[in-house]
Amino acid sequence: MAGKTLQLQPRLQLLADLVPVGAKLADVGTDHGYLPVWLLQQGSISRAIASDINAEPLEHARKTAAEYGVSEQMDFRLCAGLEKIASCEVDTVVIAGMGGETIQSILAAAPWTKNEGVQLLLQPMTKVEMLRIWLSDNGYHFTGERLVFDKDFLYPILCVTGGRGEPISEEESYAGRLLGEEPLYGMYLEQQIRKLQRRIDGLRRSESSDTAEEAGRLEKIRLSMVKRRKDIPCIR
Ligand SMILES: C[S@@+](CC[C@H](N)C(=O)[O-])C[C@H]1O[C@@H](n2cnc3c(N)ncnc32)[C@H](O)[C@@H]1O
């Protein structure tokens, strides 16, 4: 429909803003396809691949593309992760709105995502601590981290490329490595401190010596994060 413009919610908007102009984009787990459709409508990219493991969401993406007049510029791939996407087709891969373990398994199955010139924008819904450590241990390097508040939730976005960096510490896996300049960092630390506290409480309830040791280690991290939090002015 001519003239109709898609509006993105803040989480997808920040992801869209992080996609470089002229990128060869794959949006993995695209669902409604809003992200690639918006970027194509803006003219900031000229083609995109939208993939999904399920037929119904991919059908939604086709409908969105048709509704906003960008069908000709999109390829739709029904596949798990990056299975039907070749390394030469893309330089920017967005994997958003999925669990950290799913994102990890998608990347583990596509080692070409570590190739020079490939940028990954990852937005896990769960287990971001595990994902940060896995990325750091498996040949990925953090180029940026961002935070966005959307519908009562605070989402971290990890910007990553292939390459070795300083290994992520357990504290950084909770607190983030490159979030210090983000306006919402104080709020993020508070959220992560609460998450740590719940884990510590759970471990303490189980009363074994192993869990007591883990609880002690996590408590040290929690206290260090509380100290970090005190040094940051509160925005929200
Ligand atoms: C919650 S939606 C997220 C949609 C969009 N990426 C976003 O961030 O708003 C998750 C989508 O990922 C798809 N999905 C889940 N696991 C997948 C996988 N291993 N490979 C590709 N797509 C997957 C689901 O079918 C679903 O459409």
Side-chain angles (χ1 to χ4, degrees):
M1 209 179 291
K4 198 172 162 186
T5 308
L6 184 62
Q7 298 293 321
L8 294 180
Q9 296 297 315
R11 180 182 60 85
L12 285 180
Q13 186 63 62
L14 180 55
L15 280 160
D17 293 344
L18 292 168
V19 173
V21 172
K24 289 155 72 183
L25 175 73
D27 182 32
V28 176
T30 196
D31 198 356
H32 285 82
Y34 294 137
L35 177 79
V37 167
W38 186 86
L39 287 162
L40 289 164
Q41 268 213 314
Q42 297 298 312
S44 81
I45 59 172
S46 56
R47 289 210 64 79
I49 299 170
S51 76
D52 207 286
I53 198 169
N54 292 306
E56 199 178 319
L58 204 60
E59 202 45 47
H60 293 152
R62 279 200 183 87
K63 282 193 181 136
T64 309
E67 194 178 344
Y68 290 93
V70 296
S71 301
E72 297 299 310
Q73 293 157 273
M74 281 178 72
D75 283 337
F76 301 90
R77 311 263 170 99
L78 181 61
C79 62
L82 289 152
E83 260 176 21
K84 291 192 183 166
I85 299 171
S87 60
C88 59
E89 294 183 288
V90 294
D91 58 23
T92 305
V93 177
V94 174
I95 313 178
M98 284 177 230
E101 279 164 341
T102 305
I103 295 176
Q104 174 193 322
S105 67
I106 290 171
L107 296 178
W112 61 261
T113 52
K114 285 183 251 185
N115 289 358
E116 199 179 338
V118 178
Q119 179 177 174
L120 308 174
L121 300 173
L122 311 174
Q123 184 266 301
M125 302 300 281
T126 58
K127 302 207 174 174
V128 65
E129 303 80 27
M130 180 280 305
L131 184 61
R132 284 193 180 104
I133 287 179
W134 185 85
L135 289 164
S136 164
D137 288 351
N138 285 275
Y140 295 91
H141 169 75
F142 288 75
T143 57
E145 285 185 87
R146 299 295 301 273
L147 293 170
V148 60
F149 192 77
D150 191 345
K151 293 193 202 99
D152 296 336
F153 288 98
L154 188 54
Y155 298 96
I157 294 173
L158 313 180
C159 312
V160 170
T161 61
R164 293 264 166 210
E166 184 71 18
I168 285 265
S169 68
E170 196 173 14
E171 180 169 339
E172 286 174 318
S173 78
Y174 283 92
R177 163 163 287 176
L178 300 172
L179 288 172
E181 300 298 312
E182 282 291 279
L184 297 172
Y185 188 44
M187 188 186 187
Y188 185 66
L189 282 177
E190 284 167 16
Q191 174 182 293
Q192 294 297 84
I193 289 165
R194 285 194 296 276
K195 188 191 268 189
L196 262 172
Q197 186 64 65
R198 285 194 297 276
R199 270 185 201 160
I200 293 163
D201 292 346
L203 288 166
R204 284 188 175 146
R205 275 195 295 275
S206 84
E207 287 177 0
S208 89
S209 58
D210 281 357
T211 57
E213 197 180 304
E214 194 180 345
R217 203 184 66 244
L218 293 183
E219 177 62 8
K220 279 193 194 136
I221 293 174
R222 192 189 71 80
L223 290 173
S224 168
M225 283 170 58
V226 168
K227 190 165 171 291
R228 250 187 224 229
R229 173 67 192 97
K230 283 192 183 133
D231 296 336
I232 297 168
C234 189
I235 302 285
R236 293 186 69 101

